[in-house]
Amino acid sequence: MSFIPDDTPKLTPSLLRAHDTMCPRRLALEFRREPGTKDPVNRSRVRNAILDSIRTWHESGRWPPVRDLCSEERAVVTQAVAWYERRFPDRGVHVELPLEEPTLLPRRGVLLAGWVGLGVIHPDGSHELRQLHWSRAGQPDLMARPEVRLAVLRLAAAGWWERGSLRVTDTDLVTGAQVDAEVEGPEALAPLACWLDEQMGQVRDRADEARTESGAGCATCHYVPRCPAHDVRGSMTSSASALLPGVLSLSPTSFDAWQCCRRQWRDRSLLAVTPTNPPDSPTHGLYLHRLLHQIHRRGSCHDVDHVRDVLAGHGADERTTAEVARHARRCPIGAEAVGHEVEWARTHRGPPVFVTTCRLDAVWAHDGILDVRDYKSGRVIDHRVSEDPRAWLQAWVAAREAAARGLRLRIRYEHLAAEVEEDPEPWEPTDEELVGVEQTLVTTAQEMRAEHEFRGVSDDVVCGRCQYRGGCDDAAVKALPAWPRPADDVPAGAPS
């Protein structure tokens, strides 16, 4: 790669997808390419194995064995190469990774970066960009996706594609879903260039190193050390072979996974492996949560006319109407709405250093209390809130916010299903209980740092509902991956 001045800013697909909600300080530092913590990019393990397998198959007709991956990752690779051969059976093409380094646009003074898929040159000389992923939901309009737009601009700028049309395919190698588009020659890139200029302008306008917005994004931020929003000093680093990031991230979901099974925690929180057996999407629960958010954002759940209008506008059925009515009977009247679907973060300065983040369904202030509500639309909670590890993290994160407002803290689980008669007993943690929670989090973070084996718990109940049981060697309940298969059998010679 040619010399690039240190002050050249950089745009990536992830930055463009989140620039309008990202913390302004983080946005400024990422855009300016300021150094931060260097965490392992574990998701590249599966990506590299898939791409290496595909290139070997094009060259030799054989799928090579996959090594140095856990069985859950190998299950993804096996599925991916099977779908690749089904979607792209013609081996007689030239494939390469045309962009492995950031692309400099000298006239705009910006670097374009991010992963780009396979560049394919067909025997007739035509060019194709194959964007490959594994179960990542995307926009239906392929050419509206930032990663595709940047990739097309970069291919043209790098001279890999100089004339003729460019075919773009986007394939989910776990489900087999595929969409394609055609770019009618480099001369047709003017709209994408205008879009890029507009995006850069929006990033520059919002980027502000002096302004911080603490929230869920802190869990993945490389600039937590020395951030004014967090009491952390020094830089945390990880070795190249490490699985854990320099700054650990804890959430109610990841903490609960650690308590249940350390292998499950590794698969989900560290490796970000595609689940072999994902649960059915909780569509009704998500719909109900968003509906309550709309009701409270635009008015009060105690305003009968307002609620009726919102329910009618969202096509609510009898069940949903009853659930909203149940909520209204439990919602505090005249309370100050601190927020709905609130994202808060709190950092332990260390050692060990970790960031805890929580997404809270609703937070109210009333009667000297900071009332944190967790709506439950599925499984009935039959134990005290104070006994739930997920509530421990919510309490530790929210305690700082309560103290800043001079309020007592209360954590409450609110069942929305009309047939559930009793909610579990709310929890108002004492100072001593919060000290105990912090010590539990510290001990857990230390255990995470010391863990190397990540053995599965091998329990019928835990394994029976685990999303990774179709690829786990330790699973007590054996299962096949619940993915759609391209054929009855995996292609001959595919890795296993």
Side-chain angles (χ1 to χ4, degrees):
M1 186 169 63
S2 59
F3 172 75
I4 297 175
D6 291 339
D7 59 352
T8 304
K10 181 176 73 174
L11 290 174
T12 63
S14 60
L15 187 147
L16 291 180
R17 279 192 295 268
H19 71 79
D20 56 340
T21 58
M22 184 181 293
C23 166
R25 178 178 186 269
R26 177 180 180 178
L27 180 63
L29 296 175
E30 286 196 9
F31 186 51
R32 294 208 313 260
R33 299 163 54 215
E34 293 292 333
T37 57
K38 298 293 183 182
D39 295 337
V41 186
N42 294 321
R43 65 188 186 280
S44 66
R45 293 158 44 115
V46 168
R47 174 183 183 269
N48 293 342
I50 291 173
L51 294 180
D52 289 345
S53 295
I54 288 172
R55 288 190 290 179
T56 299
W57 177 73
H58 275 287
E59 294 170 0
S60 67
R62 294 181 295 104
W63 292 109
V66 177
R67 299 183 173 87
D68 302 324
L69 296 180
C70 69
S71 61
E72 294 89 330
E73 292 172 314
R74 292 199 303 271
V76 177
V77 177
T78 298
Q79 176 78 353
V81 299
W83 268 116
Y84 182 87
E85 187 172 4
R86 176 68 178 272
R87 291 302 185 205
F88 306 104
D90 183 8
R91 288 184 41 241
V93 297
H94 173 72
V95 299
E96 60 182 317
L97 292 175
L99 297 171
E100 298 189 74
E101 298 289 342
T103 306
L104 176 64
L105 302 185
R107 285 196 307 164
R108 287 177 168 81
V110 67
L111 276 174
L112 303 185
W115 283 343
V116 174
L118 288 173
V120 178
I121 303 177
H122 293 268
D124 63 0
S126 62
H127 287 60
E128 177 186 354
L129 168 63
R130 290 181 182 171
Q131 291 287 88
L132 308 171
H133 55 93
W134 17 103
S135 287
R136 183 202 68 237
Q139 297 168 269
D141 184 355
L142 175 59
M143 292 307 299
R145 301 178 190 175
E147 66 272 17
V148 175
R149 291 185 166 196
L150 288 189
V152 170
L153 287 170
R154 292 173 63 189
L155 290 174
W160 182 82
W161 162 56
E162 297 181 305
R163 58 187 171 284
S165 63
L166 173 70
R167 185 187 181 206
V168 182
T169 55
D170 183 275
T171 308
D172 185 327
L173 294 178
V174 164
T175 67
Q178 186 177 75
V179 292
D180 58 19
E182 200 85 14
V183 181
E184 300 295 338
E187 63 278 3
L189 295 181
L192 294 187
C194 291
W195 166 83
L196 180 64
D197 291 337
E198 179 183 331
Q199 295 294 299
M200 279 200 301
Q202 293 178 7
V203 170
R204 293 183 192 276
D205 289 344
R206 192 166 188 279
D208 184 356
E209 188 177 354
R211 187 159 61 94
T212 62
E213 292 180 2
S214 179
C218 299
T220 57
C221 182
H222 297 296
Y223 306 102
V224 167
R226 293 174 294 282
C227 176
H230 301 287
D231 187 22
V232 175
R233 299 292 181 267
S235 297
M236 275 54 68
T237 59
S238 295
S239 64
S241 60
L243 291 180
L244 272 69
V247 179
L248 273 174
S249 170
L250 299 178
S251 71
T253 299
S254 67
F255 185 72
D256 185 59
W258 174 265
Q259 302 290 323
C260 289
C261 176
R262 296 186 178 188
R263 182 164 182 159
Q264 179 189 115
W265 176 79
R266 178 205 64 184
D267 292 345
R268 178 170 184 166
S269 299
L270 297 185
L271 300 180
V273 180
T274 303
T276 58
N277 303 81
D280 293 335
S281 176
T283 52
H284 179 74
L286 292 175
Y287 163 70
L288 187 56
H289 279 66
R290 296 297 169 84
L291 191 59
L292 288 172
H293 186 192
Q294 288 295 317
I295 289 172
H296 290 113
R297 187 168 68 90
R298 299 178 181 276
S300 168
C301 63
H302 300 111
D303 183 337
V304 176
D305 293 335
H306 165 65
V307 171
R308 184 181 59 248
D309 291 344
V310 174
L311 293 178
H314 290 79
D317 57 15
E318 184 177 342
R319 172 190 175 186
T320 303
T321 301
E323 290 168 335
V324 171
R326 173 186 170 91
H327 160 76
R329 291 193 296 269
R330 287 160 170 75
C331 194
I333 297 176
E336 174 196 349
V338 177
H340 292 81
E341 297 189 5
V342 176
E343 294 179 347
W344 280 341
R346 182 178 178 183
T347 304
H348 184 265
R349 66 178 304 176
V353 175
F354 57 84
V355 178
T356 54
T357 59
C358 289
R359 185 182 181 91
L360 306 171
D361 292 332
V363 183
W364 303 94
H366 62 91
D367 304 316
I369 295 171
L370 187 71
D371 189 347
V372 173
R373 300 291 180 102
D374 191 340
Y375 300 145
K376 301 296 183 183
S377 56
R379 183 170 61 93
V380 176
I381 305 300
D382 56 4
H383 53 262
R384 295 186 177 189
V385 176
S386 60
E387 298 170 354
D388 192 334
R390 295 180 182 227
W392 301 345
L393 266 77
Q394 292 176 342
W396 193 71
V397 171
R400 186 176 65 171
E401 304 292 338
R405 292 171 169 80
L407 302 173
R408 304 195 317 274
L409 174 64
R410 176 187 292 165
I411 308 293
R412 177 169 180 167
Y413 286 178
E414 182 181 319
H415 285 109
L416 298 175
E419 65 270 15
V420 180
E421 296 181 358
E422 296 291 339
D423 291 329
E425 182 180 341
W427 179 32
E428 293 190 17
T430 64
D431 291 342
E432 291 76 16
E433 286 176 316
L434 290 171
V435 169
V437 168
E438 180 170 322
Q439 185 54 55
T440 298
L441 297 181
V442 168
T443 301
T444 300
Q446 292 170 334
E447 291 173 348
M448 290 174 172
R449 286 278 179 214
E451 181 61 59
H452 298 288
E453 296 184 348
F454 299 104
R455 293 191 182 279
V457 70
S458 192
D459 176 86
D460 286 350
V461 175
V462 174
C463 297
R465 61 171 182 258
C466 179
Q467 299 182 40
Y468 299 97
R469 61 186 181 276
C472 177
D473 294 335
D474 295 334
V477 178
K478 301 300 181 182
L480 293 174
W483 296 320
R485 302 305 298 264
D488 293 335
D489 299 306
V490 178
S496 62

